[in-house]
Amino acid sequence: MALISKKKTLYRINQQLRRYLHKYNREHVMNISYADLLRYDNAIVLYDKNEVDTLWETVFYSPGDQEEVYEALKQIYADLKTDGNEEVIKHLVIDRVDYCTYGNTHPFRIRIVNRVNDNFDYFYIKIADASRVYGLELEHILSPNRINYVTHENTLVEEHIAGVPGDAFLKQDLEQDLESPIRLAKEFVKFNERCLVQLLGDMHSANFVVITTPDFEEIYYRIRPIDFDQQCYEGKKTVYLPQYFKQNNALIELGMKYMTPESVWQYQIEERSMIASRLKSESQRVYDLMAVMSKDEIAPPENVEQLKSELAKHYEDNRFLNCKTMGEIVWLSLELVMRH
């Protein structure tokens, strides 16, 4: 079983990573920061439709501050979605600002509504953590998913990733309620492989969403991570394999029923080939990112030592033993994908 026993340390964005973010248009000047949002006047508990505490609070700002705060939040949304085009915010209003009372970064979640058609969206404002930024960037490059996020100083803004939360999705009877359970099992194998390659940890069901896409004959599933806090931080290899989290047991059982070892191996190779293709198409960007990441300290030395030893054994490749940072371990993991 994959267990994480200690709270993760937050790592500041260094100058080299900041330059990378500027180069690839991830850095935008903001008129409000995470610290500014903490200066709210009062808060009330936010309950879901079944009157269960969501562990979020809706926060309220003083009348003198609210207009300024809300205008700054709308500008951030424009930076996130349209590269700063203010035309898009004319019809937008901030409907609610929520504060999460659990987790590492205690994020704010902003609900924004279009007055013309009543459509709404969310985005998140968090403390900028280098680990999370590396995770977001690797997900953007290596996976079939694209992610919008921007940073400024000690603030990180992320778009909302729509989908059914994994823990809620897995409460249903997967065999009885799904039209194509084998496709979900296949997607979990590929998701498991992506996490191992990029070393994204802690992918239990509460940290990913499931997206269902109907086609003219079949239903397709996509599993997307929504929490990148544990990007190459822990020392245990099992933390980077979603198959070892008990919260994902329903997906494991589905795979055991519908898939053979040969088909699992086939899907693993298939996913690694897709990752290799993305690496080739984004080779300069990957090099720029790895050049920064390989020199950054984003995990305790004992975690680096443990992980490189376990991966050397897993891949039967002693080159992992020469790695000195988590970034170097990730870089070698990507090189293995390209080689094979």
Side-chain angles (χ1 to χ4, degrees), residues 8 10-13 17-18 20-22 24-38 56 72-73 76-77 79-80 98-99 104-110 122-140 147-161 200 226-231 285:
K8 178 189 169 294
L10 298 182
Y11 294 91
R12 293 183 67 86
I13 296 174
L17 179 54
R18 189 76 66 188
Y20 172 90
L21 294 170
H22 271 291
Y24 291 98
N25 202 30
R26 296 296 199 181
E27 180 80 5
H28 289 252
V29 175
M30 301 178 195
N31 295 325
I32 195 169
S33 67
Y34 176 88
D36 294 330
L37 292 178
L38 289 172
W56 290 79
L73 290 175
I76 286 176
Y77 185 77
D79 289 339
L80 184 67
D98 302 327
Y99 176 67
N104 253 2
T105 52
H106 297 290
F108 285 92
R109 179 179 62 197
I110 291 83
Y122 296 95
F123 64 98
Y124 300 83
I125 298 181
K126 306 175 180 180
I127 300 172
D129 173 28
S131 300
R132 188 181 294 275
V133 170
Y134 287 125
L136 287 163
E137 196 65 16
L138 285 167
E139 178 71 9
H140 181 81
I147 296 181
N148 286 327
Y149 73 91
V150 292
T151 63
H152 180 60
E153 295 179 349
N154 201 36
T155 298
L156 169 66
V157 181
E158 294 178 32
E159 71 176 350
H160 175 66
I161 299 175
L200 177 61
I226 57 174
D227 192 342
F228 301 88
D229 183 58
Q230 288 286 340
Q231 172 63 48
R285 186 167 185 164

Side-chain angles (χ1 to χ4, degrees), residues 226-244:
I226 57 174
D227 192 342
F228 301 88
D229 183 58
Q230 288 286 340
Q231 172 63 48
C232 60
Y233 177 79
E234 291 288 335
K236 289 178 286 190
K237 180 194 71 176
T238 52
V239 169
Y240 305 101
L241 288 163
Q243 70 189 70
Y244 286 106

Side-chain angles (χ1 to χ4, degrees), residues 9 11 13 16 29 37 58 62 65 80 87 105 116 119 176 204 264 267 289 323:
T9 303
Y11 294 91
I13 296 174
Q16 292 75 25
V29 175
L37 292 178
T58 297
S62 67
D65 292 338
L80 184 67
E87 289 294 317
T105 52
V116 175
N119 283 340
Q176 296 296 322
H204 56 77
V264 169
Y267 296 141
L289 182 63
C323 295

Side-chain angles (χ1 to χ4, degrees), residues 40 87 91 116 154 266 304:
Y40 53 84
E87 289 294 317
H91 305 293
V116 175
N154 201 36
Q266 174 192 333
V304 176

Side-chain angles (χ1 to χ4, degrees), residues 137-243:
E137 196 65 16
L138 285 167
E139 178 71 9
H140 181 81
I141 296 171
L142 301 179
S143 80
N145 313 307
R146 291 294 173 263
I147 296 181
N148 286 327
Y149 73 91
V150 292
T151 63
H152 180 60
E153 295 179 349
N154 201 36
T155 298
L156 169 66
V157 181
E158 294 178 32
E159 71 176 350
H160 175 66
I161 299 175
V164 180
D167 48 359
F169 188 89
L170 296 184
K171 287 179 180 177
Q172 62 185 314
D173 187 326
L174 299 184
E175 291 188 50
Q176 296 296 322
D177 297 343
L178 300 186
E179 290 187 33
S180 185
I182 191 170
R183 288 193 176 274
L184 180 61
K186 173 184 176 181
E187 171 60 17
F188 185 71
V189 170
K190 301 179 85 169
F191 175 65
N192 195 72
E193 201 65 19
R194 286 198 299 273
C195 290
L196 179 61
V197 169
Q198 75 182 65
L199 294 177
L200 177 61
D202 201 27
M203 281 299 111
H204 56 77
S205 59
N207 285 339
F208 62 76
V209 296
V210 181
I211 302 167
T212 303
T213 305
D215 199 3
F216 67 96
E217 284 187 343
E218 290 281 1
I219 299 291
Y220 291 88
Y221 301 96
R222 172 74 55 81
I223 298 176
R224 290 193 62 177
I226 57 174
D227 192 342
F228 301 88
D229 183 58
Q230 288 286 340
Q231 172 63 48
C232 60
Y233 177 79
E234 291 288 335
K236 289 178 286 190
K237 180 194 71 176
T238 52
V239 169
Y240 305 101
L241 288 163
Q243 70 189 70

